[in-house]
Amino acid sequence: MLNVAPEQDILNPPASSVGVEQAEAALVEHYPRLVRLAYLVLPPSLGRNRRVLTAHAIVQRSLPRGRGGSGAEADEGLIPGARRARSGGDPGYVYVRRRVLRQALDAGLPLRRKAWPKRAQLPPLLPQVRGLRLFPRSGGADELALDQRLSALSGPARAAYVLRGLERLGDDEVCAELNAAGVTGTRQALAEADGVETQSGLLESAEFDPCSLQARPTDLMRRRQHTRAALAAVAALVVCGALIGLPGGGWGPDGAAAPPYARNPAAEAALDPGQLLRVEPTAWTTSVRTDFSVWPARGSLVGDSALLRRALAVWARPGESVQVSATPGTPSGPPMGAPQLLFAGDVDRARVVLLYDGLRVARYAEPHDSTSGAALDFARVDAADAASASALVVGRTDGNVRYLTAPWVREASVRDLLTPDADARPLHRDRDGVTDPVVSPAQARTCTSWEALEFHDGSGVRLFSDLGELAPARLTWGPPADARDVGDRSARAGWARTACLLPTVRSHGVRSVNDWRFAKQSLPESNGTADWICTRAETWRGAGSRVFAQFQAPTAKLAPGAIAARAENSPACGVREARVLAGVLWKSRGGNWFVLAAGSEQVSSVTLSGGTTGSEHGNLLAVRAKEGARAELNGRLADGSPITTLH
C-alpha cells in the first residue's frame, strides 16, 4: 500500500482502485516519458551508463506482481487507491509515476551498514548490457549547464524541479507527489528547486533522453586482459588438477614452472625502491630528449624507502581499498621493470609519489595518518615532447590542484581564459617546482571563470588547462598544419568563447586542444560578423579524438559559442584532413530565421537541400528559412570532390 500524506489527501480525493492492466497500459504508452523522469531524478554520481540502465529498470519494475481483470478485487489484480491528480490525469499513469519517483529517490540514498539496501540502490539485474557503455546523445552548453546545476540539488529538490518542468505540475501537486513518494520537508525541496531556473524545453532535449542512446565500447584493453587472465586461470586449474592426480607427487614442488613472481629479476626490480631510476638534476640540459625521462627526482621524501616500497607494491597489486583510475586506453598493470622516480613528498594532506615507466605516469597518494584510503592514478604520456611534458598534477584538494613543473619551466602564471584582456597572475612555486593551489575548472560546477596555466620556457609561452587528468592539456590556436601557442589577443578572444565547452572532452585522455577559425561570415540584415571555429582534441593514445564546430555570433559579452556539429574519431580539422563544413539555424535581431553555413578555404561551393534549398559559390551560404527548418548540407572542394558536414 502507498502511504499517502494528509496533505495529499486534501489535494487529491480518492479515486477508485486501478487495475493492473490499466497501469500496464499507462506504462507502455508513457514509457519514454517515465524513463526520462527516472533518469533526471537519479543522482548524477551514478554515471550516465548506470543511470540509463537503472532508469529503465526502475520503470520496468513499477508494476505490482500479479495480474487480474479491471473489475476484480484488490488481491486479484487491483492497485490500491491511486489518487487522481487535480489536473485530471490518468490514475494508472499517476500510480506508475509515483512508483518510479519513489524508486528513483531511493536510489540516491546512502548505503547503511546496519540496514539492508533497497533494490533501487543496487545495480540493476535487468536490463544488462555487456561490452558497451550507453549514454544519451550530448547536448549543447545549455544542457550541460542545466545538468551541472541539477547535480548540485538534493534528490527531493531535483524531483520537485523535474515534476514542475517535465510534468508541468503546480507547487501543491508537486508536494502531493513528493509526499506520496515518502519525502519529508516537501516545501524545503521546492524552495531549493527555486534556485534553478525552470527550462522545460531543455528537460525534453536529447541530452536527457535515455531511450535515444549512443553506444561506445568499454575499456577494450582491460577487457582483453581480463579474458586472458580468466583463460590462464582455467588452464592453470586444469594442469594443477592433472598433476595432483599423478602418482608420487607429480613433477615435484615446482615442476617445470618458473620462479614465483617475487623472485623473478624484473619483478623484483619493479618492487625494490633501491632499483628506482633517478635522473641527475642537470640531465635535461644535455639530453637529446626533452620529456619526462629527463625529469630529476624531486621532493622531500625521495629518501623514504618505506613510502616508495608501498607505492611500488600498490602499483604491482592494488588492494580492494585502493581507488584506481586510468585515462581511456591506459593499462593499469604493473611496470615491466624498475620505473623512474619523478617526485616523492608531502602535498597538502597526503604523501604523494610520482613514477614513470616510459609509457605511463603513475601517481600514488596516501593520507598522512594511515595507508587506508590510498589512491592510484594512471595517465598515458608516451611520445611526449618539451611542451607536453611541462607539468603533471601532483595533488587535488577542495577543488584546487597543484602541479609539479618541468625543470625547464622558468616562470609560471595563471590566466583566466574568460577575460582575454586581463593580465596573467604570477604563480608561486617552491624549490621542487610544486605550484601553489590553482582553482581547477575541470571540477567546477559553473563556468564563471576558467583558470589556465602559462608556462614560460626557453621556446616561448605555453598555455595549459586542467581537464581532470594527471597531465594538463596544451591549448593552441591556428590552422592544423600551423597550430601555435595562444599568444595574441585574437587567439585569447577565440578561446574565451571556447573555454566553457571544454568539459565535453574532460577525462578523455586529451593531450592537446586546438582552436581553428576556419571562416568569418558577414551576417544577414547587418547583424555583424560571426566566427566559425573548429575545435579538435587530440588524445595521448592517438585514437578517440573529438571534434566540434562552433558558430560564434557577435555578442556584447564573450558568451560560449554554439556547437553546430561534432564528431569522434574523425580526421576533420586535423593535420591529415584540414577541412570542415558546418551549418546552423540562426535568428537575426529582426526576428527572421536563416540557415547559415561555412566551410574552410578548400570548399568552393555549398548546397542546401531538403526542407530548405539554396546554393552559393564559395565557402559561405546564408538562406532565408522558417523556424525549426531542417535541411541537408553538402559542398564541393576546389578539385570537385564532395564534402559533407561534420558528423
Side-chain angles (χ1 to χ4, degrees):
M1 290 289 290
L2 292 175
N3 294 322
V4 183
E7 180 182 359
Q8 184 186 12
D9 288 335
I10 296 172
L11 293 171
N12 301 316
S16 59
S17 296
V18 180
V20 174
E21 292 185 355
Q22 182 180 357
E24 183 178 16
L27 186 150
V28 172
E29 179 182 357
H30 302 287
Y31 184 82
R33 192 172 193 85
L34 291 167
V35 176
R36 184 189 292 265
L37 185 146
Y39 180 83
L40 286 164
V41 176
L42 284 169
S45 59
L46 294 178
R48 292 200 294 173
N49 180 70
R50 182 169 168 186
R51 280 173 75 191
V52 166
L53 297 179
T54 302
H56 282 274
I58 284 175
V59 175
Q60 294 173 17
R61 291 199 303 258
S62 293
L63 287 180
R65 294 187 179 91
R67 178 180 293 274
S70 59
E73 295 299 327
D75 59 348
E76 296 178 13
L78 288 184
I79 300 169
R83 302 300 198 261
R84 187 183 298 270
R86 284 191 301 175
S87 57
D90 172 16
Y93 174 71
V94 172
Y95 173 81
V96 175
R97 183 178 65 194
R98 288 178 179 173
R99 287 184 61 109
V100 168
L101 188 64
R102 179 185 288 271
Q103 293 179 80
L105 290 170
D106 286 345
L109 297 176
L111 293 173
R112 297 178 179 177
R113 292 185 178 181
K114 297 183 179 180
W116 286 100
K118 297 183 179 181
R119 187 174 182 183
Q121 295 175 274
L122 302 175
L125 297 176
L126 290 173
Q128 281 283 351
V129 178
R130 296 187 180 277
L132 289 174
R133 293 183 294 110
L134 301 178
F135 47 88
R137 297 182 180 276
S138 298
D142 292 338
E143 287 86 347
L144 178 63
L146 177 60
D147 191 36
Q148 291 174 339
R149 289 194 292 269
L150 289 179
S151 66
L153 297 178
S154 64
R158 196 162 49 246
Y161 182 89
V162 174
L163 289 173
R164 277 175 171 172
L166 190 64
E167 295 293 293
R168 308 270 198 309
L169 299 183
D171 286 357
D172 290 338
E173 292 171 308
V174 170
C175 287
E177 295 301 307
L178 293 179
N179 278 326
V183 174
T184 58
T186 56
R187 293 295 175 182
Q188 291 88 333
L190 280 172
E192 185 180 352
D194 287 337
V196 179
E197 180 184 357
T198 302
Q199 296 175 294
S200 302
L202 293 183
L203 292 179
E204 297 177 356
S205 67
E207 173 82 13
F208 306 114
D209 184 5
C211 291
S212 178
L213 301 171
Q214 290 181 311
R216 294 292 182 270
T218 54
D219 191 331
L220 299 178
M221 293 296 295
R222 181 174 294 183
R223 202 166 76 195
R224 185 179 299 173
Q225 290 172 352
H226 289 175
T227 302
R228 290 175 177 172
L231 292 175
V234 171
L237 288 174
V238 171
V239 172
C240 290
L243 293 179
I244 290 174
L246 290 175
W251 292 339
D254 295 322
Y261 178 84
R263 287 162 50 193
N264 180 281
E268 284 185 321
L271 293 172
D272 183 3
Q275 297 292 322
L276 284 171
L277 302 179
R278 300 170 187 249
V279 175
E280 292 296 324
T282 59
W284 65 273
T285 61
T286 57
S287 173
V288 296
R289 297 178 57 180
T290 312
D291 57 13
F292 295 108
S293 66
V294 294
W295 275 32
R298 290 173 286 177
S300 59
L301 299 179
V302 291
D304 190 335
S305 297
L307 171 64
L308 299 178
R309 187 180 300 278
R310 288 195 299 273
L312 293 170
V314 170
W315 186 355
R317 49 183 192 279
E320 293 182 357
S321 63
V322 179
Q323 302 177 30
V324 180
S325 69
T327 57
T330 303
S332 57
M336 293 181 291
Q340 177 184 342
L341 176 63
L342 303 181
F343 177 84
D346 292 308
V347 180
D348 295 324
R349 298 187 293 270
R351 290 184 288 262
V352 176
V353 178
L354 286 179
L355 301 166
Y356 172 65
D357 69 350
L359 173 69
R360 304 161 294 173
V361 166
R363 175 184 176 272
Y364 170 79
E366 64 180 29
H368 274 146
D369 52 356
S370 70
T371 59
S372 176
L376 184 64
D377 304 316
F378 294 96
R380 187 168 170 174
V381 292
D382 50 318
D385 55 17
S388 55
S390 293
L392 290 172
V393 171
V394 73
R396 292 184 187 275
T397 306
D398 300 330
N400 296 320
V401 60
R402 292 181 187 265
Y403 299 89
L404 176 67
T405 56
W408 51 84
V409 172
R410 299 175 180 177
E411 295 179 21
S413 53
V414 178
R415 179 180 292 278
D416 184 359
L417 292 184
L418 302 191
T419 55
D421 294 323
D423 293 333
R425 308 188 308 275
L427 179 62
H428 174 263
R429 298 179 295 161
D430 64 17
R431 64 179 184 179
D432 292 319
V434 177
T435 69
D436 285 351
V438 179
V439 175
S440 170
Q443 299 173 258
R445 295 186 179 275
T446 58
C447 189
T448 55
S449 65
W450 196 280
E451 303 282 275
L453 300 167
E454 280 189 350
F455 294 136
H456 303 245
D457 57 29
S459 301
V461 180
R462 322 279 191 191
L463 188 66
F464 292 83
S465 176
D466 177 33
L467 293 181
E469 301 169 342
L470 285 179
R474 184 185 178 192
L475 307 182
T476 56
W477 172 267
D482 188 28
R484 60 186 185 277
D485 290 307
V486 182
D488 55 36
R489 205 276 176 189
S490 176
R492 290 197 295 269
W495 266 108
R497 304 190 65 180
T498 300
C500 289
L501 302 177
L502 283 176
T504 60
V505 298
R506 180 173 50 196
S507 301
H508 194 62
V510 172
R511 174 179 181 145
S512 63
V513 186
N514 184 58
D515 248 12
W516 170 35
R517 183 169 58 205
F518 64 89
K520 292 178 73 70
Q521 184 174 24
S522 296
L523 299 177
E525 301 180 355
S526 301
N527 275 241
T529 302
D531 288 335
W532 289 87
I533 306 289
C534 192
T535 304
R536 181 179 178 88
E538 299 284 5
T539 66
W540 285 97
R541 63 189 184 278
S545 61
R546 293 191 175 185
V547 187
F548 54 88
Q550 299 178 56
F551 173 73
Q552 296 184 352
T555 58
K557 296 182 179 180
L558 295 175
I563 296 181
R566 68 179 74 206
E568 294 189 26
N569 291 312
S570 170
C573 302
V575 292
R576 294 179 57 190
E577 192 173 293
R579 54 183 181 267
V580 63
L581 175 65
V584 70
L585 186 63
W586 171 79
K587 184 180 180 181
S588 71
R589 289 193 294 265
N592 297 315
W593 289 89
F594 293 85
V595 173
L596 304 179
S600 51
E601 61 182 2
Q602 303 93 328
V603 177
S604 62
S605 66
V606 182
T607 303
L608 200 63
S609 59
T612 304
T613 59
S615 63
E616 289 285 352
H617 292 291
N619 64 332
L620 301 173
L621 176 142
V623 175
R624 186 74 174 268
K626 296 180 180 179
E627 181 179 0
R630 292 183 177 274
E632 182 177 348
L633 185 63
N634 293 283
R636 290 277 177 184
L637 301 177
D639 61 4
S641 58
I643 182 173
T644 59
T645 56
L646 188 67
H647 62 276

